[in-house]
Amino acid sequence: MLPSAPSTAMVGREAETRVLRGGFERSLEDAPVALLVEGEAGIGKSRLLREFAADVANRADVHVGWCLDLGASRSPFGPLVGILRSIVSRLGADSVREQLGVGAEALGMLLPELNPTERSQTSPDRVRDAIAALIEVAAERNPQVLIVEDLHWADDSTLAILSFLLRTLSRGRIMLLLSCRSDDVRRGDAVSSFIGESTRARLLERLQVDRLDSAAVRELAESIMGQPLSDAAIERIQSRAEGVPFFVEEIAGCSAGPLPGTLRDLLLARFDRLGGDARRVVQVASGADRALSHPTIAALAGIGDDRLDEAIREATQSGILIVLDDEYRFRHALLREAVHDDLLPGERARLHRAYAELMEEQGDGVASGEAAALAFHWQLAQDPRRALAAAMAAMSDAKARFAFASAGRFGELVLELWAQVPDAAEIVDIPRLEFLRTLGSVLRNAGDGERALAVVNLALSEVDAATADPRTHARLLRDKAYYTRNLGRNGAVPLLQESLAVLGVRVDDDRLRASVLNQLGSRYMVAGRLVEAIEIAAEAESRGEAVGSDEETSIAANIRAASLAHLGRIAEAHEQYGLALRRANTTNAELRYRVNYSDLLGLLGRYRDAVRVADEGMERARVYGVERTTGAIMTQNMAVPLLEMGEIARVEGMLARELAQATLRIFHAYSTMTRVRVLSWRGRHVEAAEIVREWHPMFTEAGVEERQIWYDEIMMRLSVAESRGDLAAALAEVRAMLRDDGPRLLHERRLMLEAGWLIAELGASGESVDDARDEVRAAWLSQPEQLLGDAWWSMLSAFLDPSIPALQAAVGLADGDDVPVTFRVMTRLELARMLVDAGDRGAAASVLDEALRTAESLAHVPLGRAVADFAHAAGLRTAEGERAPGTDPGRTDPLTARELQVLELITEGLSNRQIAERLFISVKTVSVHVSAVLRKLGVASRTEAAVRHRDLAHPFVSLP
């Protein structure tokens, strides 16, 4: 009898084993390691991991979970439940409850035996946080090796958790190992996206398991057969197995006889040699998506105990089934698939009906988290009525456990089966329109905005306005507006207006009306329709107060506060935000206040206050148990002020930790603006420009109804232009903004301040900037009174009308707290130019040295380059007494014709302004030419330049 494969030694995997051991050793240094073991079916991935797990079992806790083959309707959190249950078993349930606190309640969603938890008691954020916390707690006790087998069958919810863990578990003795059948991963599917994103973010290492060479094939085959094989026999095996270990094992069993003609025949060769009872046991086992207990096989096989024991023994000795943890499973998934596919349609349907009936008889299903498997079996049993009911239960179960992607898949199965069952609404106990609305919400929460919109469109197409419940109709319109906005598309406002019209005066539901009004007011506010937003928020507040909804009145105050702020009524805005906080008696309302108020503070330049408010929000998120997820929404509002404060590394860390789970497109757009600014800051303008091009269509469309998005794209394009040194293009972006006849929001203040420096720089290079100067000054002064007379205006004025006193004052202001830190460099650079023009090169060198040190400390590549270029042109010395990079005091470069003209006028004793008038050029252009002349002549002052010019023109001649 051919021995089962696990009894033979693993061969040809020395290099892969070294990689696994090396990763494990790294993880012991408190640095988590994640590794994907990938390869084609039968290549030996599971065997490799099994051997590795045995190797480290005495040094670490090893936990294994399997993704299950349930077709398209995959079981939510499939492998994670087993892993978590194993960890809890090692730690002890009491210890877990004590160390996780409220996190144990969240884990109860997946492990009811730990703490039965209702959905209303927790949230998806808390579940994810609790999973990460449990792993971290376990890693403090012992190193943890977490193995997820068969990732190619993973459900979206599992992938989302894995992605979250890859980004969250930054410390701890943790090794995460994933196995994946590469030939079962399709381009563009969820697994492929997960692998691609995790690899690009360098969160996941990949270990490719390749086919065996001929020497390893010989070693494996002879190990299986227990004797040397001839060259002819080895060639026979190799020609068919092509180095795949599993096929080598199967072919070795046929080495003495004729080889099967097809792969299917090869896989079934062992099965065909079994006796009748053993064949029955194997066929029964092929219908399961997981390991089977002895009672389950006994109930389904329908043969006596003695015969059953003998049949199982024969199936295991043949190498088809294996015993693992007192359960039976196929030695390889390929064997199960081959046996299951060999069943006739009727046999397959009867087998799965038997499974489904047994599950229902034993009380499995929703109560034990097996709703997905029950739906799978009834579907393959070809019973649409029962499959419909099971799929609906599976959707509800997945939704209750926040596995929205899986819930969406089951919901779409319900939708597919609905047409096959005449009384579907009665079976699932929900009207079709309400089901479609629920499914749309599930898909939106799963991050599939497009599909959510398609489902709500289907529902609206089936609405008969004359007979439909107006509340349901209004909610569908509200939901469509919401999904449209999530995708960054236009059209939300008309939908919300239609929703209100449907409610009309006949529907007495102020809570629903307040909700729709607040959505409409929010749309008006972000579109810049500020007065209308305030009016709508007032009505929403009134409706909310009528039904005692503090949440709706808090949201209304939020809308009113933001609108007032953009109208320049800053004091009133602060008051309204205070009111929003006082009324925020729910997590959603309070965190919304933190997000929106910190955004206002950032727009006003109160960067430290903005970070403080967002930090307080993060602390509240920790109290609510959503520190790593809902609290992370605040990170974008933290990232912008932190960037303005110069904490570039911290911002990059935030962007690097951005969750790769399915996220709505509008939120990606916000973080994209920050990412472009960061890349431009680092001088990576080519990469930044590519991102701008990629996102341009979305920003263009969304910017029509969301003014902030419109401003964000201007900031991105300006940042890229500055980074590549095209200051004229950067200034053109601001001027185009000022000429736009759309509503003006607070976002333009930061852009106008930047324009001041651009005007100063371009003017210094000889560009004509008078018109731009007038435009920016007029636009700034046209702001409401509460926005005038601040530090930003003093700095902007210094750039527009530069003088040494004004720029010296600007330098002092730039060193304050409420000014973007980049202006510490910009103001000093312009002051240095003025000092050079005035002939005070010593003071200019000192100021320029401060600017250079600041640019270097900020790692701001474009500004560092600008300072260095001017230092080079002016020939100024650094603090160490060395000349600026690129200068050579012993070299005298030829002067251009214009520079010679300037030098001659310097020799005449003319000032820069007099030279400008003489040559009909700007004073700034003269300054540039003077700096170049001094550098090329290798002199430090205008007087030295004049003397040098006289010497060159009239050299002293010695008489003989």
Side-chain angles (χ1 to χ4, degrees):
M1 184 69 68
L2 184 68
S4 102
S7 66
T8 62
M10 184 175 67
V11 301
R13 299 302 181 207
E14 293 78 10
E16 292 87 347
T17 299
R18 283 194 298 271
V19 172
L20 292 176
R21 288 174 178 168
F24 177 70
E25 294 300 329
R26 296 202 313 275
S27 74
L28 297 181
E29 299 174 359
D30 210 32
V33 170
L35 199 148
L36 174 69
V37 179
E38 56 186 332
E40 61 189 297
I43 206 67
K45 303 177 294 296
S46 295
R47 180 67 184 279
L48 176 65
L49 292 178
R50 193 160 53 242
E51 295 283 343
F52 169 72
D55 186 37
V56 301
N58 62 339
R59 303 175 63 194
D61 295 339
V62 180
H63 314 283
V64 185
W66 285 270
C67 300
L68 306 176
D69 181 12
L70 291 177
S73 302
R74 298 169 181 176
S75 179
F77 305 114
L80 299 174
V81 174
I83 289 174
L84 297 175
R85 187 166 283 132
S86 175
I87 295 175
V88 171
S89 176
R90 291 287 184 97
L91 294 177
D94 291 339
S95 175
V96 170
R97 294 188 190 99
E98 178 182 353
Q99 295 190 66
L100 292 190
V102 295
E105 296 179 2
L107 279 181
M109 293 298 300
L110 302 181
L111 306 177
E113 67 274 18
L114 178 66
N115 192 79
T117 304
E118 294 293 331
R119 185 176 189 269
S120 60
Q121 295 177 277
T122 185
S123 69
D125 310 327
R126 293 189 184 187
V127 173
R128 288 191 285 265
D129 287 341
I131 291 173
L134 177 64
I135 296 170
E136 289 173 337
V137 167
E140 292 176 1
R141 175 179 177 271
N142 277 324
Q144 301 294 301
V145 176
L146 315 178
I147 300 177
V148 175
E149 286 270 29
D150 299 324
L151 187 72
H152 47 278
W153 287 326
D155 66 291
D156 298 65
S157 304
T158 294
L159 296 173
I161 293 291
L162 291 175
S163 179
F164 172 75
L165 294 176
L166 289 176
R167 285 162 170 77
T168 301
L169 299 175
S170 57
R171 296 187 60 188
R173 298 175 297 171
I174 303 165
M175 186 176 193
L176 176 62
L177 295 173
L178 313 172
S179 74
C180 183
R181 190 190 293 179
S182 53
D183 41 358
D184 273 5
V185 175
R186 299 180 184 86
R187 177 177 295 182
D189 70 5
V191 175
S192 174
S193 298
F194 165 80
I195 293 173
E197 291 169 359
S198 301
T199 302
R200 284 192 296 273
R202 299 183 180 180
L203 300 172
L204 186 64
E205 301 175 40
R206 300 175 74 165
L207 174 60
Q208 178 69 37
V209 182
D210 294 319
R211 299 184 178 191
L212 301 176
D213 59 24
S214 57
V217 168
R218 175 182 289 276
E219 183 180 354
L220 176 59
E222 291 181 346
S223 174
I224 293 171
M225 300 307 299
Q227 63 184 21
L229 298 177
S230 66
D231 290 345
I234 293 299
E235 182 179 355
R236 190 164 171 259
I237 294 173
Q238 178 69 319
S239 66
R240 296 298 300 277
E242 296 182 342
V244 179
F246 177 69
F247 297 154
V248 172
E249 296 167 3
E250 298 304 296
I251 294 171
C254 307
S255 60
L259 288 180
T262 66
L263 175 58
R264 175 179 173 278
D265 292 337
L266 172 63
L267 292 171
L268 292 174
R270 291 174 187 257
F271 173 77
D272 290 339
R273 292 196 296 270
L274 297 177
D277 287 347
R279 288 166 60 90
R280 173 61 181 162
V281 165
V282 171
Q283 286 176 327
V284 165
S286 75
D289 56 291
R290 64 200 70 194
L292 293 172
S293 66
H294 186 85
T296 299
I297 287 186
L300 293 170
I303 56 180
D305 290 345
D306 292 341
R307 288 170 55 195
L308 178 63
D309 290 342
E310 187 60 33
I312 293 175
R313 182 174 290 106
E314 182 181 353
T316 55
Q317 288 179 344
S318 72
I320 295 178
L321 298 183
I322 61 173
V323 181
L324 188 64
D325 296 331
D326 293 330
E327 292 184 317
Y328 304 108
R329 69 169 59 241
F330 275 82
R331 177 169 62 85
H332 200 284
L334 286 174
L335 284 172
R336 186 188 74 81
E337 293 165 14
V339 173
H340 187 263
D341 291 345
D342 193 51
L343 294 170
L344 295 173
E347 292 177 314
R348 191 178 303 117
R350 288 191 295 273
L351 175 61
H352 285 284
R353 176 176 292 274
Y355 268 103
E357 289 175 343
L358 180 63
M359 290 180 67
E360 291 185 341
E361 178 185 334
Q362 293 177 344
D364 289 343
V366 175
S368 61
E370 294 297 328
L374 188 61
F376 168 73
H377 288 303
W378 279 125
Q379 184 183 14
L380 291 186
Q382 300 179 21
D383 188 327
R385 290 177 60 84
R386 290 184 173 179
L388 174 68
M392 188 67 190
M395 172 184 165
S396 299
D397 174 63
K399 179 174 177 284
R401 293 194 283 164
F402 307 111
F404 294 112
S406 295
R409 290 179 184 273
F410 286 114
E412 297 208 2
L413 177 57
V414 171
L415 194 58
E416 176 185 336
L417 293 167
W418 197 292
Q420 304 175 37
V421 181
D423 55 344
E426 287 74 18
I427 290 176
V428 298
D429 194 27
I430 184 174
R432 179 174 170 84
L433 289 179
E434 280 298 326
F435 163 72
L436 289 172
R437 201 173 75 80
T438 300
L439 177 56
S441 175
V442 165
L443 291 167
R444 184 265 175 191
N445 286 333
D448 193 346
E450 293 285 0
R451 191 60 182 154
L453 184 59
V455 168
V456 79
N457 279 334
L458 173 63
L460 286 169
S461 71
E462 298 179 5
V463 168
D464 182 349
T467 60
D469 178 3
R471 290 178 179 83
T472 299
H473 189 187
R475 289 188 178 101
L476 286 169
L477 290 165
R478 179 196 62 185
D479 292 350
K480 181 175 180 179
Y482 192 41
Y483 303 155
T484 299
R485 179 176 70 92
N486 291 160
L487 292 169
R489 294 178 186 163
N490 301 326
V493 168
L495 288 165
L496 293 168
Q497 291 171 333
E498 185 181 355
S499 177
L500 290 172
V502 168
L503 290 174
V505 295
R506 297 181 298 111
V507 178
D508 184 18
D509 190 337
D510 280 336
R511 178 69 174 79
L512 175 57
R513 199 182 303 273
S515 170
V516 177
L517 285 167
N518 270 329
Q519 277 207 43
L520 180 59
S522 177
R523 291 293 86 209
Y524 282 161
M525 184 267 290
V526 299
R529 299 167 63 175
L530 305 175
V531 175
E532 293 171 280
I534 293 172
E535 293 172 353
I536 290 290
E539 185 179 353
E541 180 181 51
S542 176
R543 300 281 184 177
E545 287 176 343
V547 293
S549 175
D550 286 341
E551 181 173 30
E552 294 300 340
T553 58
S554 175
I555 293 172
N558 251 304
I559 295 168
R560 190 162 50 244
S563 301
L564 288 168
H566 288 299
L567 287 170
R569 296 159 63 180
I570 306 302
E572 293 173 79
H574 287 308
E575 291 176 2
Q576 288 299 310
Y577 273 124
L579 177 61
L581 177 60
R582 291 193 297 275
R583 291 176 174 176
N585 63 348
T586 65
T587 303
N588 174 55
E590 181 178 354
L591 293 183
R592 179 166 180 160
Y593 155 79
R594 301 285 178 188
V595 169
N596 292 346
Y597 190 43
S598 63
D599 182 53
L600 170 63
L601 293 171
L603 291 172
L604 294 175
R606 293 172 55 182
Y607 300 127
R608 282 170 173 74
D609 287 338
V611 172
R612 174 183 55 78
V613 171
D615 254 342
E616 290 172 357
M618 290 295 294
E619 180 59 34
R620 298 301 295 163
R622 281 187 279 271
V623 172
Y624 294 132
V626 294
E627 172 187 2
R628 290 169 170 144
T629 45
T630 297
I633 297 174
M634 222 97 54
T635 58
Q636 172 61 16
N637 275 29
M638 290 184 69
V640 172
L642 285 171
L643 187 63
E644 300 289 19
M645 292 163 61
E647 298 192 32
I648 181 75
R650 186 175 174 187
V651 174
E652 287 175 322
M654 290 178 176
L655 294 174
R657 290 190 299 272
E658 186 180 11
L659 300 182
Q661 61 187 1
T663 303
L664 296 167
R665 191 165 175 79
I666 194 69
F667 299 121
H668 273 314
Y670 299 147
S671 62
T672 294
M673 186 272 289
T674 305
R675 178 168 284 106
V676 167
R677 288 191 67 189
V678 167
L679 291 170
S680 300
W681 184 301
R682 294 295 195 186
R684 295 161 60 183
H685 58 86
V686 174
E687 186 178 348
E690 182 59 36
I691 294 175
V692 174
R693 282 192 293 272
E694 176 188 350
W695 280 85
H696 175 68
M698 188 273 181
F699 274 78
T700 298
E701 180 177 3
V704 173
E705 291 189 357
E706 188 151 351
R707 193 67 169 173
Q708 175 182 337
I709 293 291
W710 184 78
Y711 281 112
D712 283 352
E713 185 170 22
I714 293 171
M715 175 60 83
M716 290 194 300
R717 293 199 299 261
L718 180 147
S719 299
V720 171
E722 285 187 351
S723 185
R724 68 170 181 260
D726 191 351
L727 304 190
L731 179 59
E733 295 291 346
V734 181
R735 297 184 71 182
M737 174 193 76
L738 296 177
R739 293 169 184 171
D740 185 84
D741 58 4
R744 298 175 64 180
L745 301 184
L746 290 173
H747 300 75
E748 69 182 14
R749 287 169 52 83
R750 176 65 179 83
L751 290 159
M752 285 194 288
L753 183 60
E754 192 85 4
W757 176 69
L758 294 170
I759 289 169
E761 280 290 284
L762 289 168
S765 66
E767 297 286 338
S768 176
V769 293
D770 291 342
D771 291 344
R773 181 185 295 112
D774 292 341
E775 280 184 298
V776 171
R777 180 185 289 109
W780 187 277
L781 294 176
S782 69
Q783 294 180 102
E785 185 177 353
Q786 291 186 37
L787 297 173
L788 300 177
D790 59 358
W792 285 21
W793 167 241
S794 298
M795 292 172 50
L796 179 59
S797 296
F799 287 135
L800 297 180
D801 298 302
S803 68
I804 291 177
L807 286 167
Q808 287 173 331
V811 166
L813 293 171
D815 290 341
D817 290 344
D818 297 337
V819 175
V821 71
T822 50
F823 285 86
R824 297 179 184 178
V825 181
M826 296 171 177
T827 54
R828 284 172 168 83
L829 176 56
E830 299 313 312
L831 176 58
R833 291 187 189 278
M834 295 297 296
L835 290 169
V836 169
D837 289 347
D840 193 349
R841 296 177 58 79
S846 177
V847 170
L848 204 62
D849 188 66
E850 291 177 4
L852 190 57
R853 286 200 307 268
T854 302
E856 290 174 348
S857 68
L858 296 175
H860 199 296
V861 173
L863 284 179
R865 184 172 59 236
V867 174
D869 286 348
F870 177 68
H872 175 79
L876 295 176
R877 301 177 185 274
T878 63
E880 290 75 21
E882 298 294 334
R883 300 189 77 80
T887 64
D888 181 356
R891 185 190 69 196
T892 304
D893 291 340
L895 298 179
T896 65
R898 177 66 83 179
E899 288 165 353
L900 282 171
Q901 286 180 308
V902 170
L903 179 55
E904 290 172 357
L905 297 175
I906 289 174
T907 304
E908 291 181 22
L910 273 62
S911 68
N912 281 9
R913 183 169 298 280
Q914 291 170 323
I915 295 173
E917 293 172 354
R918 183 80 63 87
L919 298 179
F920 299 99
I921 59 178
S922 71
V923 175
K924 290 291 185 182
T925 302
V926 173
S927 175
V928 172
H929 290 317
V930 170
S931 297
V933 167
L934 298 181
R935 174 179 57 80
K936 292 182 178 182
L937 294 180
V939 297
S941 69
R942 298 162 71 95
T943 301
E944 290 181 63
V947 172
R948 182 69 182 275
H949 178 56
R950 292 191 187 100
D951 289 343
L952 292 174
H954 308 285
F956 177 78
V957 180
S958 298
L959 296 175

